[in-house]
Amino acid sequence: MAEASGARPRSKTLSYRYEAYTTEQKLVKGTISASSEFTAGQALVDEGLRPLSIKLVSSQFSVEKMLPSLFAVKPREVIVFSRQLATLLESGVSLLPALELLQGQVAGKGFRMVLGSMIEGIRTGKSFSAVVAEHPTVFNEIFVRTISMGELAGKQETTLRQLASFMEKRGELNKKLSGALTYPAIVLGIAAVVTLILITVVLPPLTDMFESMDIDLPITTRILIGTSDFVLAYQLYLFAGTILVLVVGGYYFSRPNGRRLLDRMRFSVPLLGYPMHIGEMGRISRTISMLLEAGLPLQDIMEILPGTSSNYLIRGSLTKLHQGLLLGEGLAGPMAKDDLFPDMMVQMVAVGEESNSLDSSLRVIADLYEATAEERLNAFASMITPLSTVFIGAMAGFIALSIVMPIYSITGSIG
């Protein structure tokens, strides 16, 4: 049986292994090249075969499999795609041609493959929300539910723009938070490496010289020498202990109880805990507000909301809110019982529920909390530079006093 590859040529093809029956009920096997499993099956049918199984052939070496992070779809790609698709739909272009046009403009290979799969789905008669739902690693449940409600309401363009703005605001805050944490982490890392090199490499030869000269060493030098002797004497135990702590700590903090404790500790970090906490409250408020505006019922929103947070502490609190809502307690009542939610947020939610304007009340809270979090993070970023300079200067001064003063004393005694 000749291979059926080429029955439907595509610009992007994959290899599939198939088993099928001929018209004479004879079982045949082979491989076929196609852009998707559906097109492979259709090509076999066109050849007069009845497919029994179609499986993607896994190549022995694939860059995508070896380095999946290089081909992962970035949030920025989804934001740009949403805005561009909304623009095309508003200009009168129908969905399928719009997706085909955007596929040709996408630079990322991973997202281009996702769009190719979506296009094939649309061609078979699936809805946009259905093909989006087939890619949960690219489009989360909030995206899918919002698109689905937009389709029902006939507001697909507006919904896409809302999603793009929502993801953009969320991404900006996350970027500021990671930026605020990166600089001090780099400074502390460099300081630790330099200190370790001084203690284990530079200081031991100087220690031998100081001991041979039999001079009275200053307290800073004695502290440094004592630290160096301790590290060199117990280096294997310290290394093994560090590995053990990392393994045990990693295991514990990967468990639900450990994750909750870690997330609670994050909100208690000086200077950074408050903006992280208030930023999460702003994100929650904006998510609920956007989904309410899209037409999703509050109970459905609270059902999917816990799964959108990576913070176990917040996830548990949102689950309790959903349970309270199902019991008829509303949203503000369960919120007031949980210390995680600020008083202002509880009051605004109560006002929104009473006036039937919960979406606008939460949008106000989101704007306020996100602006506050951004302001605090900017203040932290502007403060950390001089603090880091002072820290490095103090460390350098301590090391200089510990090493230079004894050398100066030796030189003076020789003179």
Side-chain angles (χ1 to χ4, degrees), residues 55-221:
K55 295 181 181 179
L56 180 66
V57 177
S58 299
S59 59
Q60 294 182 348
F61 176 79
S62 171
V63 179
E64 291 91 337
K65 292 182 178 180
M66 295 293 293
L67 300 171
S69 60
L70 294 180
F71 298 92
V73 178
K74 298 177 177 61
R76 188 65 198 171
E77 292 181 282
V78 180
I79 293 172
V80 173
F81 162 76
S82 300
R83 292 195 188 281
Q84 290 178 337
L85 182 57
T87 301
L88 289 173
L89 294 176
E90 287 172 346
S91 63
V93 181
S94 57
L95 181 60
L96 183 58
L99 291 175
E100 291 174 335
L101 179 61
L102 292 177
Q103 185 190 24
Q105 297 178 352
V106 170
K109 183 177 180 181
F111 198 28
R112 193 161 59 245
M113 293 174 65
V114 168
L115 290 179
S117 175
M118 291 169 60
I119 289 169
E120 291 295 335
I122 296 293
R123 283 176 179 157
T124 63
K126 295 181 181 179
S127 66
F128 183 49
S129 59
V131 297
V132 164
E134 292 174 354
H135 303 279
T137 58
V138 179
F139 306 103
N140 60 23
E141 192 170 0
I142 288 179
F143 195 101
V144 175
R145 292 284 190 101
T146 308
I147 288 295
S148 179
M149 295 306 300
E151 282 182 332
L152 292 175
K155 303 186 300 182
Q156 206 167 63
E157 302 88 346
T158 304
T159 301
L160 284 165
R161 291 196 182 280
Q162 286 177 333
L163 283 167
S165 299
F166 167 74
M167 290 186 292
E168 204 162 36
K169 284 181 177 294
R170 182 175 179 177
E172 287 174 358
L173 192 60
N174 290 340
K175 187 176 180 180
K176 283 186 176 294
L177 179 59
S178 61
L181 292 171
T182 300
Y183 185 77
I186 292 175
V187 170
L188 290 176
I190 293 175
V193 171
V194 171
T195 302
L196 186 63
I197 292 174
L198 285 172
I199 289 175
T200 58
V201 178
V202 178
L203 196 58
L206 293 176
T207 301
D208 295 337
M209 183 183 69
F210 294 154
E211 291 177 350
S212 65
M213 298 297 294
D214 192 25
I215 60 174
D216 187 21
L217 297 175
I219 183 64
T220 56
T221 306

Side-chain angles (χ1 to χ4, degrees), residues 366-395:
D367 291 338
L368 175 62
Y369 283 174
E370 287 172 353
T372 303
E374 185 175 350
E375 181 182 345
R376 293 294 184 93
L377 289 174
N378 288 335
F380 176 81
S382 62
M383 184 190 308
I384 198 65
T385 301
L387 287 178
S388 300
T389 303
V390 171
F391 173 76
I392 295 294
M395 187 182 72

Side-chain angles (χ1 to χ4, degrees), residues 319-340:
T319 301
K320 291 178 183 178
L321 291 187
H322 180 228
Q323 293 170 350
L325 190 65
L326 293 177
L327 293 173
E329 300 177 6
L331 202 57
M335 271 187 176
K337 301 174 185 177
D338 196 324
D339 295 336
L340 191 66

Side-chain angles (χ1 to χ4, degrees), residues 163-394:
L163 283 167
S165 299
F166 167 74
M167 290 186 292
E168 204 162 36
K169 284 181 177 294
R170 182 175 179 177
E172 287 174 358
L173 192 60
N174 290 340
K175 187 176 180 180
K176 283 186 176 294
L177 179 59
S178 61
L181 292 171
T182 300
Y183 185 77
I186 292 175
V187 170
L188 290 176
I190 293 175
V193 171
V194 171
T195 302
L196 186 63
I197 292 174
L198 285 172
I199 289 175
T200 58
V201 178
V202 178
L203 196 58
L206 293 176
T207 301
D208 295 337
M209 183 183 69
F210 294 154
E211 291 177 350
S212 65
M213 298 297 294
D214 192 25
I215 60 174
D216 187 21
L217 297 175
I219 183 64
T220 56
T221 306
R222 293 201 297 271
I223 292 174
L224 202 59
I225 289 175
T227 303
S228 176
D229 291 342
F230 177 79
V231 170
L232 291 175
Y234 299 99
Q235 54 185 333
L236 292 179
Y237 297 101
L238 290 172
F239 178 76
T242 301
I243 296 298
L244 181 62
V245 168
L246 290 175
V247 171
V248 173
Y251 174 77
Y252 175 71
F253 287 120
S254 67
R255 310 297 294 173
N257 288 338
R259 286 289 300 271
R260 276 190 287 270
L261 176 61
L262 182 62
D263 290 333
R264 188 177 294 277
M265 290 167 57
R266 285 173 178 166
F267 287 161
S268 302
V269 175
L271 301 178
L272 275 178
Y274 180 74
M276 282 195 292
H277 179 200
I278 215 70
E280 282 290 333
M281 295 299 102
R283 183 190 65 81
I284 292 169
S285 300
R286 188 167 299 283
T287 302
I288 299 175
S289 174
M290 184 199 66
L291 293 175
L292 284 173
E293 290 177 353
L296 202 65
L298 183 59
Q299 287 188 356
D300 291 351
I301 294 172
M302 298 311 300
E303 180 183 354
I304 66 175
L305 199 58
T308 66
S309 177
S310 60
N311 188 302
Y312 270 54
L313 191 63
I314 290 178
R315 188 180 295 182
S317 294
L318 292 175
T319 301
K320 291 178 183 178
L321 291 187
H322 180 228
Q323 293 170 350
L325 190 65
L326 293 177
L327 293 173
E329 300 177 6
L331 202 57
M335 271 187 176
K337 301 174 185 177
D338 196 324
D339 295 336
L340 191 66
F341 299 101
D343 292 338
M344 180 182 292
M345 183 176 181
V346 175
Q347 293 169 6
M348 289 294 291
V349 167
V351 171
E353 286 182 321
E354 291 175 4
S355 61
N356 199 27
S357 59
L358 186 58
D359 54 343
S360 58
S361 295
L362 285 170
R363 188 169 60 251
V364 170
I365 283 292
D367 291 338
L368 175 62
Y369 283 174
E370 287 172 353
T372 303
E374 185 175 350
E375 181 182 345
R376 293 294 184 93
L377 289 174
N378 288 335
F380 176 81
S382 62
M383 184 190 308
I384 198 65
T385 301
L387 287 178
S388 300
T389 303
V390 171
F391 173 76
I392 295 294

